[in-house]
Coordinates of all heavy atoms in Angstrom, one line a residue:
S437 N 46.9 38.5 231.6 CA 47.2 38.8 233.0 C 48.7 38.8 233.3 O 49.1 39.2 234.4 CB 46.5 37.7 233.9 OG 46.1 38.4 235.1
A497 N 57.1 40.0 245.1 CA 56.2 39.5 244.0 C 54.8 40.0 244.3 O 54.5 40.5 245.4 CB 56.1 37.9 244.0
G498 N 54.0 40.0 243.3 CA 52.6 40.4 243.5 C 52.0 39.7 244.6 O 51.3 40.2 245.5
S499 N 52.2 38.3 244.6 CA 51.5 37.5 245.6 C 52.1 37.9 247.0 O 51.3 38.0 248.0 CB 51.8 36.0 245.4 OG 53.2 35.9 245.0
E502 N 50.3 41.0 248.1 CA 49.0 40.7 248.6 C 49.1 40.3 250.1 O 48.4 40.9 250.9 CB 48.4 39.5 247.9 CG 48.0 39.8 246.4 CD 47.7 38.5 245.7 OE1 47.4 37.5 246.3 OE2 47.8 38.5 244.4
H531 N 42.4 35.8 240.9 CA 43.6 35.0 240.7 C 43.8 34.1 241.9 O 43.5 34.5 243.0 CB 44.8 36.0 240.5 CG 46.0 35.4 240.0 ND1 47.0 34.8 240.8 CD2 46.4 35.2 238.7 CE1 48.0 34.4 240.1 NE2 47.7 34.6 238.8
T533 N 46.2 33.4 243.6 CA 47.1 33.9 244.7 C 46.2 34.7 245.7 O 46.6 34.8 246.9 CB 48.1 34.9 244.2 OG1 47.6 35.9 243.4 CG2 49.2 34.1 243.4
N534 N 45.1 35.3 245.3 CA 44.3 36.1 246.3 C 43.8 35.3 247.5 O 44.1 35.6 248.6 CB 43.1 36.8 245.6 CG 43.5 37.9 244.6 OD1 42.7 38.7 244.2 ND2 44.8 38.1 244.4
T578 N 40.3 42.9 241.7 CA 41.3 43.2 240.6 C 40.6 44.2 239.7 O 39.4 44.0 239.3 CB 41.6 41.9 239.9 OG1 42.0 40.9 240.8 CG2 42.8 42.1 238.9
T582 N 39.8 40.5 236.2 CA 40.5 39.4 235.4 C 39.7 39.0 234.2 O 40.1 38.2 233.4 CB 40.8 38.2 236.3 OG1 39.5 37.9 237.0 CG2 41.8 38.5 237.4
D607 N 44.1 44.3 243.7 CA 45.2 43.5 243.0 C 45.5 44.3 241.8 O 44.7 44.5 240.9 CB 44.6 42.1 242.7 CG 45.6 41.2 241.9 OD1 46.4 41.8 241.2 OD2 45.5 40.0 242.0
A609 N 47.6 43.7 239.3 CA 48.3 43.0 238.2 C 47.8 43.6 236.8 O 48.6 43.5 235.9 CB 47.9 41.5 238.3
N631 N 52.7 44.9 240.1 CA 53.7 43.9 239.6 C 54.7 44.7 238.7 O 54.4 44.9 237.5 CB 53.0 42.8 238.9 CG 51.9 42.2 239.6 OD1 50.9 42.8 239.9 ND2 52.0 40.9 240.0
H633 N 57.2 43.6 237.5 CA 57.6 42.7 236.4 C 56.5 42.6 235.3 O 56.8 41.9 234.3 CB 58.0 41.4 237.0 CG 57.0 40.8 237.9 ND1 56.9 41.4 239.2 CD2 56.2 39.8 237.9 CE1 55.9 40.7 239.8 NE2 55.5 39.7 239.1
K634 N 55.4 43.1 235.5 CA 54.4 43.1 234.5 C 54.3 44.5 233.9 O 55.0 44.7 232.8 CB 53.0 42.7 235.0 CG 53.0 41.2 235.5 CD 51.6 40.8 236.1 CE 51.7 39.4 236.5 NZ 50.4 39.0 237.3
Ligands
PLP1278 C1 50.3 37.8 238.2 C2 49.1 38.0 239.0 C3 49.2 37.9 240.4 C4 50.4 37.4 241.1 O1 51.5 38.1 240.9 P1 53.0 37.4 241.1 O2 53.9 38.6 240.9 O3 53.0 36.4 240.0 O4 53.1 36.8 242.4 C5 48.0 38.1 241.1 N1 46.9 38.5 240.5 C6 46.7 38.6 239.2 C7 45.4 39.0 238.6 C8 47.9 38.3 238.4 O5 47.7 38.4 237.1

Side-chain angles (χ1 to χ4, degrees):
S437 215
S499 43
E502 293 167 19
H531 194 268
T533 52
N534 289 189
T578 311
T582 51
D607 179 331
N631 307 64
H633 47 292
K634 294 180 180 170

